[in-house]
Amino acid sequence: MAFGPKKKAPNPVNVLREHVSTFMYWVKLGKSQFRNKEEIGAIFREMESAKYLFDQATSGTVYDYQKKLERNVWGAAMQKYGEELGRLKEAMLRAADACEARKSLAEKEAAEKAKKEKERLEEEESKLSLREQMERADARAAEEEEEETSSEIDEFEADAGAMMTEADCRELWKIYQNLQGEYRWMKKTADRWIEENPESGCLAAVLAALLVPVGAACALFHFL
């Protein structure tokens, strides 16, 4: 067994920067894919514009870049992105409901149209001779077979410029899940750093309290 120096665990702030980078990747992807979707696109644009909070929180200092995290700015960033993720989820749910409603309406209209067409054909055929009915049935069977072999029609889409399709909603759900996952990891990593690095003000107060008895003892010794 080889005994070498223990491999150091990665610094939490460096890990945090990686999660921030991945989080912003999904934000940019969402902004690109939903730029024409008014409400969804606006949320992603707002999320991208707030990246400066992450940058300021993890920028560190000239002397301590690897370890520094500005906890107050980080708290503001997490609050901002938590709110935006909440807005995104609400908008996503509304879009999914609207998409389902449009799809249901389209299916209902298609069923009504098919029913009326069937009734019209039955009425016409009732006036035809038996030979004509047989010829029409053969022609209809050939048309149906041709439709089955042709490429399938894309799913119903009312307005590609503004409304979300089912495919859009599924893609948005995927992006949201990744954003939410990275957000949780960022919080967990930052909480770890904050726990391991108490604020200097609190530490200074503790040291000052510990030094008071030492100072008093020195003063007493001086007068003796």
Side-chain angles (χ1 to χ4, degrees), residues 26 33-34 92 95-96 99-100 103 155 164-178:
W26 290 107
Q33 293 197 6
F34 298 99
M92 178 175 60
C99 182
E100 287 296 322
K103 186 176 180 180
E155 63 180 282
M164 298 280 286
T165 66
E166 183 176 346
D168 289 332
C169 290
R170 292 184 183 279
E171 182 63 22
L172 181 58
W173 172 236
K174 173 187 171 183
I175 292 174
Y176 174 81
Q177 286 181 299
N178 282 282

Side-chain angles (χ1 to χ4, degrees), residues 16 18-24 26-27 47 54 74-86 175-191:
L16 192 58
E18 293 177 5
H19 285 300
V20 168
S21 178
T22 305
F23 183 88
M24 294 311 300
W26 290 107
V27 169
M47 293 175 79
F54 279 147
W74 178 259
M78 293 302 282
Q79 180 179 349
K80 172 65 176 176
Y81 280 99
E83 292 172 354
E84 294 302 326
L85 284 173
I175 292 174
Y176 174 81
Q177 286 181 299
N178 282 282
L179 285 170
Q180 190 67 32
E182 290 301 322
Y183 182 86
R184 286 195 296 267
W185 272 107
M186 287 191 293
K187 185 179 185 309
K188 181 178 179 180
T189 306
D191 287 348

Side-chain angles (χ1 to χ4, degrees), residues 36-37 102 156-165 168:
N36 295 326
K37 312 299 181 182
R102 291 197 307 273
F156 173 73
E157 183 173 351
D159 181 3
M163 296 183 182
M164 298 280 286
T165 66
D168 289 332

Side-chain angles (χ1 to χ4, degrees), residues 119-221:
E119 291 174 351
R120 184 185 68 79
L121 290 174
E122 288 176 351
E123 184 178 353
E124 285 184 0
E125 289 180 359
S126 65
K127 301 174 183 178
L128 299 176
S129 65
L130 179 59
R131 183 182 181 82
E132 289 173 328
Q133 289 181 27
M134 294 173 65
E135 290 175 350
R136 178 169 289 194
D138 289 340
R140 187 162 57 246
E143 289 177 0
E144 290 175 356
E145 184 177 350
E146 185 178 348
E147 288 178 0
E148 289 177 359
T149 56
S150 65
S151 59
E152 294 184 0
I153 300 173
D154 292 336
E155 63 180 282
F156 173 73
E157 183 173 351
D159 181 3
M163 296 183 182
M164 298 280 286
T165 66
E166 183 176 346
D168 289 332
C169 290
R170 292 184 183 279
E171 182 63 22
L172 181 58
W173 172 236
K174 173 187 171 183
I175 292 174
Y176 174 81
Q177 286 181 299
N178 282 282
L179 285 170
Q180 190 67 32
E182 290 301 322
Y183 182 86
R184 286 195 296 267
W185 272 107
M186 287 191 293
K187 185 179 185 309
K188 181 178 179 180
T189 306
D191 287 348
R192 172 190 161 194
W193 184 90
I194 291 171
E195 182 180 349
E196 295 176 355
N197 296 270
E199 291 190 83
S200 58
C202 297
L203 182 59
V206 171
L207 291 174
L210 291 174
L211 289 173
V212 168
V214 177
C218 290
L220 180 60
F221 178 79

